[in-house]
Amino acid sequence: QVQVVESGGGLVQAGGSLRLSCAASGSIGDINIVGWYRQPPGNGRELVAIITSGGSTTYTDSVKGRFTISRDNAKNTVYLQIHSLKPEDTAVYYCNVKGSRDGLPYGAWGQGTQVTVSS
């Protein structure tokens, strides 16, 4: 089984920065794609950024230039560096890990970490 734990959220003022972490543990096998998603209050979950095993990254338009996703393969951890935070970035941020183990694919979610941006 794969465990995913997010951390690093908090309450920050607009214009501030945060670094979120997503750590995977357990029977992770080969991690292929890791994605950060967020769910603003009263809204659905949306994709923010993804990073592949090869290091390729993709961002949703609203965060380009402010968010940076990176990974430390040795630590099985993916980071989301956030700069110039805006009140509309307020959301629960979730990490999704997609990989394979013994030839079988899996996907695992974390419990989320709250980011609140005050104006």
Side-chain angles (χ1 to χ4, degrees):
Q1 198 167 1
V2 176
Q3 293 81 43
V4 178
V5 178
E6 302 98 332
S7 61
L11 172 63
V12 295
Q13 289 188 330
S17 299
L18 281 175
R19 189 177 80 155
L20 308 183
S21 297
C22 166
S25 62
S27 302
I28 59 177
D30 297 315
I31 296 176
N32 298 320
I33 295 176
V34 178
W36 278 101
Y37 294 73
R38 65 184 180 185
Q39 186 164 10
N43 288 286
R45 196 171 296 188
E46 62 179 1
L47 177 64
V48 174
I50 62 172
I51 187 166
T52 70
S53 58
S56 297
T57 59
T58 304
Y59 300 90
T60 192
D61 287 345
S62 61
V63 307
K64 286 179 180 177
R66 299 189 300 121
F67 288 27
T68 302
I69 189 170
S70 62
R71 64 193 294 168
D72 183 335
N73 291 331
K75 296 181 178 180
N76 294 318
T77 299
V78 169
Y79 304 98
L80 187 68
Q81 180 70 54
I82 308 173
H83 295 295
S84 303
L85 277 158
K86 304 176 181 180
E88 52 264 42
D89 294 320
T90 294
V92 179
Y93 284 71
Y94 297 92
C95 180
N96 177 259
V97 175
K98 289 185 172 63
S100 62
R101 181 180 62 249
D102 298 328
L104 297 175
Y106 68 83
W109 289 94
Q111 82 291 345
T113 186
Q114 176 71 49
V115 172
T116 303
V117 185
S118 63
S119 57

